[in-house]
């Protein structure tokens, strides 16, 4: 299972990836998570990525492709992976094609989680993440038992700096301009599958599993 999880920011890629990891025990590779870890650790990569992330822009292709190339070469990716948030440009998709071929792997499908723009802003602005274990919540759609506290590990929940309404508008514009063309790209490649993301999380997941088995 070498799966791409596509969709606009806030569509539910991370949420669905977490469920897939639980069921299929394959690595979840989120470029957004990798960049956030680099920012937290104040590495050179993190300093470079932060400038772009804060403005809702994409990190340059060469940087992003480089970190994905390294990660996919690790042994745990042989049996499968869930790539979340990569590729986001046609250049990244072309690079991925080469990386996967060099590793002797084949992409299974590109799953696009489709959600209308007005819902995406509400999802992103209400998103909360556990500082300790990374679990994702939503103040309205997936509220923790105790406000601000992770149900799983008791860690403190935080809001991503780029989950403001203003930055989200930029991220959606970037999505429309640079990432949306990948829908045609993967249709042409015969890998494209669409999921209706405007449904309760568990229903979205059962649709994901149905598509994967189909
Ligand atoms: P992405 O990884 O695509 O940016 P997330 O999985 O982090 O998106 O989801 C964004 C926010 O929307 C989170 O707060 C999450 O809890 C919430 N969410 C995810 N899926 C759904 C859904 N089907 N219905 C309502 N809210 C959702
Ligand atoms: P995400 O967690 O997927 O919402 O990504 C958060 C931010 O990280 C994005 O707004 C970009 O600035 C950066 N980022 C994540 N993935 C990529 C990618 N594939 N290409 C370029 N930038 C990315």
């Amino acid at each position: 299972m070498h799966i791409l999880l596509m969709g606009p920011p806030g569509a539910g890629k991370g949420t669905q990836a977490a469920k897939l990891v639980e069921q299929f025990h394959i690595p979840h590779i989120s470029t957004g998570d990798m960049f956030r870890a680099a920012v937290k650790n104040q590495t050179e990569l993190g300093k470079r990525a932060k400038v772009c992330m804060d403005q809702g822009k994409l990190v340059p292709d060469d940087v992003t492709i480089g970190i994905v190339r390294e990660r996919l070469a690790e042994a745990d990716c042989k049996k499968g992976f869930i790539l979340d948030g990569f590729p986001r440009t046609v250049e990244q998709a072309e690079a991925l094609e080469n990386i996967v071929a060099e590793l002797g792997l084949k992409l299974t499908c590109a799953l696009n989680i489709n959600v209308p723009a007005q819902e995406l802003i509400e999802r992103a602005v209400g998103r909360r993440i556990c500082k300790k274990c990374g679990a994702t919540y939503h103040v309205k759609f997936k509220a923790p038992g105790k406000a601000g506290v992770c149900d799983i590990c008791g860690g403190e929940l935080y809001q991503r700096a780029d989950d403001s309404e203003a930055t989200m508008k930029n991220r959606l514009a970037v999505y429309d301009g640079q990432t949306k063309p990948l829908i045609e790209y993967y249709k042409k490649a015969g890998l494209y599958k669409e999921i209706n993301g405007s449904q309760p999380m568990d229903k979205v997941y059962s649709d994901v599993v149905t598509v994967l088995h189909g």
Side-chain angles (χ1 to χ4, degrees):
M1 257 192 202
H2 294 93
I3 305 164
L4 305 187
L5 264 187
M6 298 166 49
K13 301 181 293 297
T15 300
Q16 298 303 320
K19 291 176 185 285
L20 286 167
V21 168
E22 209 178 308
Q23 185 171 352
F24 297 104
H25 310 287
I26 50 177
H28 170 210
I29 302 168
S30 155
T31 41
D33 284 351
M34 290 162 92
F35 288 135
R36 277 184 290 280
V39 170
K40 195 174 161 200
N41 295 328
Q42 298 182 334
T43 64
E44 278 312 307
L45 169 70
K47 284 177 200 157
R48 233 182 129 182
K50 188 176 187 308
V51 182
C52 307
M53 294 168 87
D54 284 349
Q55 298 173 54
K57 290 185 183 159
L58 294 184
V59 177
D61 280 336
D62 58 337
V63 176
T64 308
I65 291 164
I67 64 163
V68 171
R69 184 186 293 280
E70 269 183 28
R71 181 64 187 87
L72 294 190
E74 287 179 35
D76 63 338
C77 291
K78 278 219 157 47
K79 58 173 184 171
F81 56 64
I82 304 150
L83 254 183
D84 162 2
F86 182 95
R88 261 175 154 103
T89 64
V90 170
E91 191 175 333
Q92 291 180 15
E94 287 168 353
L96 178 64
E97 229 174 285
N98 291 331
I99 294 168
V100 165
E102 280 163 23
L103 293 169
L105 306 174
K106 246 189 171 155
L107 294 178
T108 311
C109 60
L111 283 183
N112 188 43
I113 305 179
N114 205 359
V115 177
Q118 66 272 19
E119 283 181 47
L120 294 170
I121 296 197
E122 189 181 12
R123 285 192 187 185
V125 171
R127 169 162 47 195
R128 298 292 182 273
I129 299 166
C130 176
K131 268 188 183 163
K132 217 160 128 188
C133 75
T136 299
Y137 295 85
H138 190 282
V139 291
K140 189 163 149 194
F141 305 127
K142 195 188 175 192
K146 189 175 168 207
V149 180
C150 179
D151 290 341
I152 301 164
C153 74
E156 186 191 336
L157 305 187
Y158 79 101
Q159 184 175 21
R160 274 169 52 176
D162 60 348
D163 273 344
S164 67
E165 188 165 341
T167 309
M168 203 34 201
K169 283 185 176 154
N170 292 342
R171 289 161 66 198
L172 291 174
V174 166
Y175 172 80
D176 279 340
Q178 295 184 256
T179 309
K180 226 178 181 175
L182 292 181
I183 293 177
E184 278 313 307
Y185 183 95
Y186 284 111
K187 275 186 182 167
K188 275 193 194 137
L191 293 172
Y192 185 78
K193 309 268 183 200
E194 193 159 285
I195 305 283
N196 173 9
S198 284
Q199 311 180 84
M201 294 170 206
D202 289 344
K203 177 68 174 81
V204 176
Y205 187 63
S206 69
D207 285 2
V208 166
V209 171
T210 302
V211 163
L212 288 177
H213 284 144

